Amino acid sequence: MTLLTRRRFSRLAAALPFALSAPHIARAEQPLRMIVVVPPGATMDTIVRVVADKLPPLLGRSVLVEYRPGGTGLVAGSFMKSTSPDGSHILFSPISVAAFFPFLYSSLPYDPERDLAPVCEGAFAANALVASNGTGASTLKDYVEAVRRDPHLGSVGTSSLGSVGAFLVTLLRKTTGADIRLVAYRGGQPLLTDLIGNHVSAGQSVLSDYLDSHRSGLVRILGVTTEQRSKLAPDIPTFKEQSFAELHGQTYMGFFVRGGTAQGLVTQYAAALTKVLAMPDVASRLATLGVEATGGTPEQFAQTLKRERERWEPVAREAGIKLS
């Protein structure tokens, strides 16, 4: 039987209220698990692995990458709900899991506001509109005029209905009045295959999906949707330069933890992730993937989520875009 000295008992008694009130925090010896919403080998997987390699010295714990693909974040969001709010898991996902899914799904298996807490932005990718060679278009104006002459050319594919790319296509239709129809694909690769084969006239996805094929002459990128030209392809003009200033938007990706995680830990994670994303070798590697590293505070990321939802929800509702 172990006896407590009066001094030791006093120290334990004094610490008890703090222990009872302290938030659940994963032990340092436990690995931090970074959850990815795509299969191994995808661009987002590469981004997470680049970041995960740099985190252990900053956090004092090992970092593992795990995969929860499905529904572009739907499966991963559900998984995060099942985890403890102890900081043991960080989700890396497009912001659709928290900003768009609430208005795209009639019901969700998780509550974005309660079950997910924003940590910081991770990166953003420029979107682009690309035309098949069969359209003969080299600019956005060319393509719109071609559709007006031949409505059969108005089919525009998107890699995901729950994406900024899909919202931009509906905005293009509204802005130009052309007979443009949204065609949903399951990912950027099947869309690119149909574009090369002239099975669909145009497509909207992240710029990096199309760049190699554009440079090989297999498809034609008509423009990028960022405010400034992409560092990845400075020779390709923005839509703003082509007098379509309202057609701007980009794909944001960010980090989330389980809702209810101690704010101090969330802030610590945000600082560490931001430091990693600012490292020249990390930013350079991400640039080769077609994304620009960002970072920031939880509050800044929350503002991004709010701004993007308020901008795109009316567009999606007016176009009748729903995922279920």
Side-chain angles (χ1 to χ4, degrees):
M1 178 176 178
T2 302
L3 298 178
L4 292 177
T5 65
R6 179 177 298 176
R7 180 177 297 177
R8 178 167 171 75
F9 177 80
S10 298
R11 285 201 303 266
L12 289 173
L16 183 59
F18 175 78
L20 291 175
S21 62
H24 295 292
I25 297 178
R27 295 189 302 273
E29 63 268 22
Q30 294 179 328
L32 172 63
R33 301 180 184 275
M34 300 194 77
I35 308 302
V36 195
V37 305
V38 293
T43 297
M44 291 190 66
D45 172 38
T46 305
I47 294 170
V48 165
R49 290 191 172 279
V50 170
V51 172
D53 284 346
K54 302 283 189 177
L55 278 176
L58 299 178
L59 297 178
R61 61 195 299 188
S62 61
V63 179
L64 301 178
V65 176
E66 293 187 359
Y67 302 94
R68 300 284 171 173
T72 320
L74 194 66
V75 171
S78 302
F79 171 76
M80 289 297 290
K81 178 181 179 178
S82 71
T83 65
S84 298
D86 59 2
S88 58
H89 295 79
I90 295 181
L91 170 67
F92 182 60
S93 171
I95 65 167
S96 52
V97 295
F100 304 152
F101 284 0
F103 62 79
L104 291 174
Y105 284 94
S106 55
S107 63
L108 286 171
Y110 65 95
D111 184 330
E113 293 188 7
R114 184 185 63 203
D115 299 327
L116 297 177
V119 178
C120 71
E121 288 183 29
F124 69 84
N127 281 68
L129 184 70
V130 62
S132 65
N133 287 332
T135 64
S138 58
T139 66
L140 180 54
K141 184 179 179 180
D142 289 344
Y143 176 66
V144 171
E145 290 177 349
V147 173
R148 286 176 176 150
R149 290 192 304 269
D150 182 0
H152 289 95
L153 298 177
S155 296
V156 181
T158 178
S159 57
S160 169
L161 274 180
S163 67
V164 168
F167 305 152
L168 282 164
V169 173
T170 64
L171 194 57
L172 175 63
R173 175 189 175 98
K174 180 179 179 180
T175 300
T176 63
D179 188 11
I180 291 171
R181 299 170 302 281
L182 189 61
V183 181
Y185 279 78
R186 293 193 175 185
Q189 189 56 53
L191 171 55
L192 179 59
T193 299
D194 274 7
L195 283 163
I196 294 173
N198 288 310
H199 301 304
V200 65
S201 299
Q204 168 70 246
S205 188
V206 293
L207 172 65
S208 56
D209 284 351
Y210 303 132
L211 203 50
D212 288 344
S213 297
H214 167 80
R215 289 173 173 162
S216 301
L218 298 175
V219 297
R220 178 75 179 195
I221 295 178
L222 305 180
V224 295
T225 60
T226 41
E227 296 279 5
Q228 289 83 35
R229 293 194 182 198
S230 169
K231 296 177 182 177
L232 191 65
D235 56 314
I236 299 176
T238 66
F239 286 163
K240 183 177 181 179
E241 292 176 80
Q242 301 179 58
S243 301
F244 291 89
E246 62 276 27
L247 294 177
H248 64 89
Q250 50 206 18
T251 298
Y252 289 97
M253 295 157 272
F255 297 94
F256 301 84
V257 290
R258 174 69 162 84
T261 300
Q263 190 57 44
L265 188 57
V266 177
T267 301
Q268 178 190 356
Y269 283 165
L273 287 164
T274 298
K275 186 172 183 178
V276 168
L277 291 164
M279 294 177 179
D281 58 330
V282 172
S284 177
R285 179 70 179 98
L286 266 56
T288 66
L289 301 172
V291 301
E292 187 169 332
T294 49
T297 67
E299 294 76 18
Q300 289 170 331
F301 190 27
Q303 283 300 309
T304 297
L305 297 173
K306 181 175 183 291
R307 182 191 70 237
E308 290 294 292
R309 176 170 180 170
E310 289 177 350
R311 182 182 179 206
W312 294 116
E313 182 172 4
V315 174
R317 290 193 182 281
E318 184 176 350
I321 298 177
K322 294 289 288 185
L323 296 180
S324 72

